[in-house]
C-alpha cells in the first residue's frame, strides 16, 4: 500500500473480551477507492479479510480484526502490513488488570482559542505517548532525550524494562472531534444562523443541503484524525498526536455534544425537533457509528419516535433497539446494551467493569438518559460478579462509569438563572448550553439523584466500588458523592469522580475565564446537599491549592492487584504547566 493512499487510521477499537480469553480489537483504515486493499497481519499471523464499513465520495473505510489470545503474561503485539508500515499494542495477561488512559475534548470549537496556548496543540498527547511507550521518548527530530520525572520513572522496571507499553486501553469520554465549524463552513448554515428564530424553526432542509451536511460529517474525520500536515507514519519522527495514540492503544469511545455540534440536547424542545437540527443529528449519528463505533453504516437502524398520537414531544421517546439481534452477524460487534435506543456499552474485564454511557441520544433540557437506558444499566451492573468472598483477580471490585459531563461539579445558580432567561438557542454561543448540560443543573437534579441511588445500592449489595470518570469542562478536578445519613465507617456509600479535560482544547486562560474559575473555586467550597440523604462535594484537587485546576491534562487509571487491602485503584492526572507536567495522584480502596 502506498502511504499516500491512506486517508485515515489505523484507529484501534476495543470490542470486549470474547470466548476463550480473546482480546477483541479492531482497526479502522480509510483508503482511496482506487487503492488496493492491503492485507494486514497481527502477532505474526494474517488477519481475516477486512469488512467494508463505508464507501463514499471515492473513499472506502475498512475494519480489520486484530484480536489476540490472552496468554498467561501480558505482551506487546505488532500489527501492520508485512514488509511495510507496522504499529504496536500491548495485550494484558490473564492475571493482569488493564492499565487505562482517559482523555476528552480532542479538538477546539474556535481556532482563535488555540492561539492562547503557550505550548503546541499536541503537547498533552505527546506527554501521554512518552509515558506509554519508551521508544517514543526521543524528541522528534532533535535527538534530545526526554527527561523523566519521579512518577514516570516508577513505571520503568515494571513495564518499560519488560518491553511493554504502559496502557492496554484508552477511554475517550467525548468530543473526539469538534463539528462546531459546520455553522461557518457550510454557507447555507451560516445564513441560517442570522435568520429570526421562527424562520429557523420553519427552515426546510433540501436534499442538496442534506448531501452537503452528510459530506461534511463523513469528511471531517479524516481531516482531523489524520491531518495532512502531520509527518507521515513512515517518517522516523512521525508526529506524536491523537492519531499516534489511537494507532497504539485500543479505544473505548463515547460521544458528547461536539461530536454532533456544540450543545446538542440542551436547546429548547422546538429547536431540538426542528428539521435542520434533526438532519444534523441524523448525519452526525451515522458518522459516529462508522468512525467511532467502527460498524458498517448499513447495520445502523433508524431511531423510531414512540411519542403517543396527540401528545407533544418534550423528551425524546425512542423505541429501544435489541442490538444483539441487529448485529448478530457481526463477530466484532461492540457490547452495546440491549433494550436501549442509544449506544451505551458495557465491558467486564476481571476486577474492573466499564460502562460507557450515551448521554446524547435521548438528551433534552429535562432528560439525560431515558428510562429504558437506565433500566438496562441497572440490569447489567446488577449481574456483575460480586466482589465479596472472591479472589481479587476473579471478581469485579471496581466499576468505572463514563459520564461525558461531570456528575459532581460546582453549582452556579445565579449563572443558571441568567442563562435560562437570556441564553436560549444560540448555536454560536455555548455559555447557556454548557450550564444546562450539567447533571447539577436544576433540570437534571432528579436524574442525578437516580444515578447516585442506582450506584450506591450496587456498591452496598455487591461490594463493588463505583467511580465516575468525566470530562467536558476543560479543567481537572476530583469530586465525591456520599450518603450523609450514614456513619463514615460505611465507606461503600462513597462514589469518587475523576474529571479530566481537555487533551487539546485550551483550559480557562482568558481574563473572563479566570474570573469564572475564581467563581467556581469559591462555589466548590460548599458541599451540595442534593436531598436529605445525598451530598455532592468537589474536593481540593490533589497536590494543588484549589478545588479546580485549570490546565490541559490526561488521566491514568490503574489497578494495584498486589495491594494487601485488595484491588486498589490509582488515578493519576498529568497536568500541563508552562514548561512541563505535574503529577496528581489519588488512591481509591475497594470496599472491604
Amino acid at each position: 500500500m502506498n502511504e499516500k493512499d491512506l486517508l485515515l487510521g489505523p484507529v484501534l477499537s476495543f470490542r470486549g473480551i470474547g470466548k476463550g480469553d480473546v482480546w477483541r480489537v479492531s482497526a479502522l483504515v480509510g483508503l482511496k477507492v482506487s487503492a488496493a486493499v492491503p492485507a494486514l497481519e497481527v502477532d505474526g499471523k494474517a488477519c481475516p479479510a477486512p469488512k467494508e464499513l463505508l464507501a463514499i465520495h471515492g473513499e472506502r473505510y475498512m475494519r480489520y480484526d486484530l484480536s489476540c489470545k490472552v496468554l498467561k503474561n501480558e505482551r506487546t503485539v505488532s500489527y501492520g502490513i508485512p514488509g511495510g508500515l507496522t504499529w504496536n499494542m500491548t495485550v494484558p495477561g490473564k492475571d493482569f488488570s488493564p492499565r487505562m488512559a482517559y482523555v476528552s475534548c480532542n479538538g477546539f470549537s474556535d481556532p482563535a482559542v488555540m492561539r492562547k496556548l503557550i505550548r503546541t496543540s499536541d503537547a498533552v498527547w505527546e506527554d501521554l505517548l512518552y509515558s506509554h511507550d519508551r521508544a517514543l521518548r526521543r524528541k522528534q527530530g532533535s535527538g534530545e532525550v526526554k527527561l523523566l520525572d519521579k512518577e514516570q520513572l516508577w513505571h520503568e522496571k515494571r513495564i518499560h524494562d519488560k518491553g511493554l507499553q504502559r496502557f492496554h486501553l484508552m477511554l475517550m469520554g467525548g468530543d473526539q472531534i469538534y463539528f462546531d465549524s459546520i455553522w461557518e463552513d457550510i454557507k447555507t448554515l451560516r445564513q441560517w444562523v442570522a435568520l429570526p428564530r421562527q424562520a429557523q424553526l420553519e427552515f426546510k432542509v433540501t436534499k442538496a443541503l442534506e448531501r452537503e451536511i452528510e459530506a461534511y460529517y463523513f469528511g471531517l474525520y479524516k481531516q482531523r484524525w489524520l491531518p495532512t500536515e502531520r509527518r507521515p507514519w513512515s517518517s522516523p519522527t512521525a508526529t506524536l498526536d491523537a492519531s499516534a495514540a489511537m494507532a497504539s492503544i485500543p479505544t473505548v469511545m463515547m460521544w458528547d455534544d461536539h461530536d454532533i455540534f456544540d450543545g446538542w440536547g440542551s436547546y429548547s424542545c422546538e429547536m431540538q425537533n426542528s428539521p435542520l437540527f434533526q438532519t444534523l443529528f441524523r448525519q452526525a449519528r451515522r458518522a459516529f457509528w462508522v468512525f467511532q463505533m467502527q460498524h458498517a453504516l448499513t447495520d445502523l437502524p433508524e431511531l423510531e419516535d414512540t411519542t403517543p398520537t396527540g401528545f407533544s414531544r418534550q423528551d425524546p421517546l425512542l423505541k429501544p433497539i435489541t442490538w444483539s439481534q441487529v448485529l448478530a452477524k457481526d463477530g466484532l460487534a461492540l457490547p452495546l446494551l440491549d433494550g436501549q435506543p442509544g449506544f451505551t456499552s458495557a465491558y467486564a474485564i476481571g476486577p474492573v467493569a466499564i460502562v460507557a454511557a450515551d448521554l446524547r441520544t435521548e438528551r433534552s433540557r429535562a432528560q439525560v438518559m431515558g428510562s429504558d437506558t437506565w433500566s438496562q444499566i441497572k440490569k447489567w451492573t446488577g449481574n456483575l460478579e460480586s466482589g465479596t468472598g472472591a479472589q481479587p483477580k476473579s471478581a469485579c471490585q471496581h466499576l468505572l462509569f463514563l459520564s461525558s459531563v461531570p456528575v459532581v461539579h460546582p453549582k452556579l445558580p445565579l449563572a443558571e438563572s441568567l442563562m435560562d432567561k437570556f441564553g436560549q438557542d444560540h448555536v454560536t454561543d455555548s455559555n447557556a448550553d454548557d450550564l444546562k448540560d450539567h447533571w447539577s443543573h436544576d433540570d437534571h437534579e432528579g436524574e442525578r439523584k437516580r444515578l447516585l441511588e442506582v450506584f450506591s445500592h450496587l456498591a452496598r449489595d455487591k461490594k463493588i466500588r463505583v467511580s465516575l470518570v468525566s470530562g467536558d469542562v476543560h479543567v481537572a478536578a476530583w469530586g465525591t458523592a456520599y450518603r450523609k445519613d450514614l456513619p463514615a465507617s460505611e465507606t461503600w456509600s462513597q462514589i469518587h469522580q475523576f474529571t479530566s479535560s481537555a487533551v487539546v482544547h485550551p483550559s480557562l486562560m482568558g481574563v473572563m475565564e479566570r474570573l469564572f474559575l475564581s467563581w467556581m473555586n469559591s462555589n466548590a467550597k460548599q458541599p451540595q446537599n442534593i436531598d436529605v440523604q445525598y451530598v455532592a462535594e468537589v474536593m481540593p484537587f490533589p497536590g494543588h491549592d484549589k478545588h479546580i485546576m485549570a490546565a490541559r491534562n490526561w488521566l491514568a487509571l490503574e489497578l494495584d492487584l498486589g495491594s494487601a487491602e485488595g484491588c486498589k485503584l490509582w488515578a493519576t492526572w498529568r497536568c500541563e504547566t508552562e514548561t512541563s507536567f505535574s503529577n496528581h495522584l489519588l488512591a481509591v480502596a475497594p470496599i472491604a
Side-chain angles (χ1 to χ4, degrees):
M1 180 187 73
N2 188 324
E3 191 171 352
K4 292 182 179 179
D5 293 328
L6 183 65
L7 301 174
L8 182 145
V11 176
L12 301 183
S13 174
F14 179 59
R15 321 302 282 185
I17 296 180
K19 294 181 179 178
D21 289 327
V22 174
W23 190 252
R24 299 166 65 242
V25 175
S26 63
L28 175 68
V29 173
L31 300 165
K32 294 179 180 177
V33 75
S34 58
V37 177
L40 265 60
E41 67 176 19
V42 59
D43 206 15
K45 300 175 183 178
C47 295
K51 179 181 179 68
E52 184 176 277
L53 305 184
L54 172 71
I56 189 171
H57 305 310
E59 303 165 4
R60 62 194 312 191
Y61 293 90
M62 318 296 294
R63 188 189 70 191
Y64 288 83
D65 186 351
L66 304 184
S67 301
C68 299
K69 187 77 174 178
V70 175
L71 303 180
K72 180 180 179 181
N73 296 314
E74 62 176 326
R75 70 197 195 282
T76 294
V77 170
S78 177
Y79 75 93
I81 303 169
L85 295 171
T86 60
W87 297 265
N88 294 319
M89 64 177 177
T90 294
V91 178
K94 286 186 178 180
D95 292 334
F96 289 79
S97 175
R99 297 184 295 269
M100 297 164 282
Y102 174 88
V103 297
S104 66
C105 301
N106 174 47
F108 49 88
S109 52
D110 180 359
V113 304
M114 300 303 287
R115 290 195 287 271
K116 298 178 182 179
L117 292 173
I118 297 174
R119 306 176 70 180
T120 66
S121 60
D122 292 322
V124 183
W125 279 119
E126 182 180 85
D127 182 73
L128 189 156
L129 286 162
Y130 281 145
S131 184
H132 173 60
D133 193 333
R134 173 187 282 173
L136 299 174
R137 289 194 189 137
R138 191 165 296 277
K139 285 189 175 179
Q140 304 301 288
S142 70
E144 180 185 346
V145 175
K146 168 75 174 179
L147 296 177
L148 302 181
D149 59 34
K150 185 187 299 184
E151 202 281 329
Q152 289 172 311
L153 285 170
W154 189 82
H155 301 284
E156 289 301 282
K157 288 186 179 180
R158 69 189 194 101
I159 297 175
H160 299 305
D161 285 354
K162 298 177 182 178
L164 301 169
Q165 297 163 312
R166 182 174 176 184
F167 298 114
H168 304 111
L169 293 176
M170 181 163 64
L171 314 178
M172 303 187 76
D175 300 341
Q176 280 71 253
I177 186 169
Y178 278 58
F179 277 108
D180 309 341
S181 52
I182 195 170
W183 298 107
E184 181 64 28
D185 291 347
I186 294 183
K187 180 180 178 181
T188 305
L189 299 189
R190 191 164 64 246
Q191 294 170 341
W192 177 92
V193 171
L195 292 175
R197 185 173 186 273
Q198 191 59 38
Q200 290 178 335
L201 294 173
E202 297 172 355
F203 182 85
K204 303 298 183 185
V205 179
T206 64
K207 291 183 178 180
L209 176 58
E210 180 150 16
R211 286 194 297 270
E212 193 173 0
I213 290 170
E214 177 190 62
Y216 195 87
Y217 275 107
F218 282 108
L220 199 65
Y221 274 96
K222 70 176 185 292
Q223 295 178 34
R224 297 286 170 84
W225 281 12
L226 197 69
T228 54
E229 61 270 19
R230 79 186 302 273
R231 292 183 292 273
W233 290 117
S234 56
S235 169
T237 59
T239 306
L240 299 185
D241 56 2
S243 306
M246 292 188 289
S248 62
I249 315 174
T251 62
V252 173
M253 298 188 187
M254 182 47 64
W255 64 352
D256 201 29
D257 58 335
H258 293 281
D259 299 283
I260 307 164
F261 61 84
D262 188 14
W264 169 263
S266 293
Y267 294 93
S268 69
C269 178
E270 296 81 10
M271 189 63 76
Q272 286 286 145
N273 292 308
S274 66
L276 178 60
F277 268 44
Q278 288 297 307
T279 299
L280 291 165
F281 175 70
R282 181 168 59 253
Q283 296 302 338
R285 180 175 179 262
R286 295 170 77 233
F288 173 78
W289 177 253
V290 172
F291 290 95
Q292 298 198 41
M293 309 234 84
Q294 295 192 13
H295 277 296
L297 184 58
T298 53
D299 288 340
L300 177 63
E302 292 289 341
L303 291 171
E304 296 184 37
D305 187 357
T306 60
T307 305
T309 303
F311 286 81
S312 62
R313 181 182 174 188
Q314 180 65 37
D315 300 326
L317 296 174
L318 304 171
K319 183 180 179 180
I321 298 170
T322 306
W323 290 107
S324 60
Q325 293 181 9
V326 171
L327 302 172
K329 296 181 180 179
D330 189 340
L332 277 177
L334 282 174
L336 298 169
L337 297 185
D338 278 338
Q340 48 128 4
F343 299 125
T344 297
S345 57
Y347 310 77
I349 316 170
V352 65
I354 302 167
V355 173
D358 180 352
L359 309 188
R360 291 295 157 184
T361 295
E362 301 173 279
R363 179 179 277 272
S364 71
R365 281 193 169 178
Q367 175 177 280
V368 181
M369 294 187 293
S371 59
D372 290 319
T373 303
W374 276 111
S375 296
Q376 295 306 318
I377 290 173
K378 188 175 180 180
K379 178 181 177 181
W380 188 88
T381 55
N383 287 330
L384 287 170
E385 183 181 354
S386 175
T388 58
Q391 293 299 316
K393 297 173 184 177
S394 63
C396 180
Q397 294 193 56
H398 290 269
L399 170 68
L400 301 179
F401 182 78
L402 269 59
S403 171
S404 54
V405 296
V407 176
V408 181
H409 197 64
K411 189 172 177 64
L412 305 171
L414 178 58
E416 285 182 16
S417 177
L418 289 172
M419 291 303 178
D420 283 346
K421 293 179 179 179
F422 304 110
Q424 292 199 17
D425 293 344
H426 297 297
V427 297
T428 57
D429 180 4
S430 65
N431 293 320
D433 60 72
D434 282 349
L435 288 173
K436 292 177 186 297
D437 265 356
H438 291 175
W439 288 91
S440 57
H441 191 280
D442 286 349
D443 290 340
H444 299 312
E445 278 287 18
E447 206 166 348
R448 181 162 72 151
K449 180 181 176 181
R450 182 177 189 174
L451 182 149
L452 297 178
E453 282 273 298
V454 168
F455 289 134
S456 64
H457 289 173
L458 174 73
R460 180 193 62 196
D461 298 340
K462 293 279 189 175
K463 297 296 186 286
I464 294 173
R465 174 70 68 198
V466 179
S467 296
L468 312 173
V469 188
S470 67
D472 180 70
V473 287
H474 304 159
V475 297
W478 164 41
T480 62
Y482 54 89
R483 290 271 298 269
K484 63 181 177 182
D485 60 331
L486 296 174
S489 58
E490 299 289 343
T491 61
W492 59 264
S493 74
Q494 299 169 2
I495 297 174
H496 294 269
Q497 177 185 275
F498 318 120
T499 301
S500 176
S501 146
V503 68
V504 169
H505 196 289
S507 188
L508 307 178
M509 299 175 66
V511 174
M512 294 305 297
E513 289 175 326
R514 288 291 173 171
L515 289 173
F516 181 69
L517 174 64
S518 177
W519 188 15
M520 279 204 300
N521 269 308
S522 177
N523 281 37
K525 296 176 183 178
Q526 302 300 320
Q528 299 169 25
N529 290 299
I530 297 173
D531 60 15
V532 295
Q533 287 183 319
Y534 290 99
V535 176
E537 186 172 358
V538 181
M539 307 299 289
F541 190 62
H544 187 54
D545 60 353
K546 298 288 190 299
H547 291 72
I548 307 295
M549 185 164 185
R552 296 195 300 175
N553 60 91
W554 62 274
L555 177 70
L557 296 164
E558 296 158 304
L559 296 174
D560 184 0
L561 297 179
S563 172
E565 302 174 12
C567 189
K568 186 178 293 185
L569 173 66
W570 287 90
T572 307
W573 288 265
R574 291 275 293 174
C575 295
E576 183 184 36
T577 67
E578 288 190 10
T579 58
S580 185
F581 283 80
S582 58
N583 299 295
H584 307 267
L585 279 68
L586 183 70
V588 178
I591 297 175

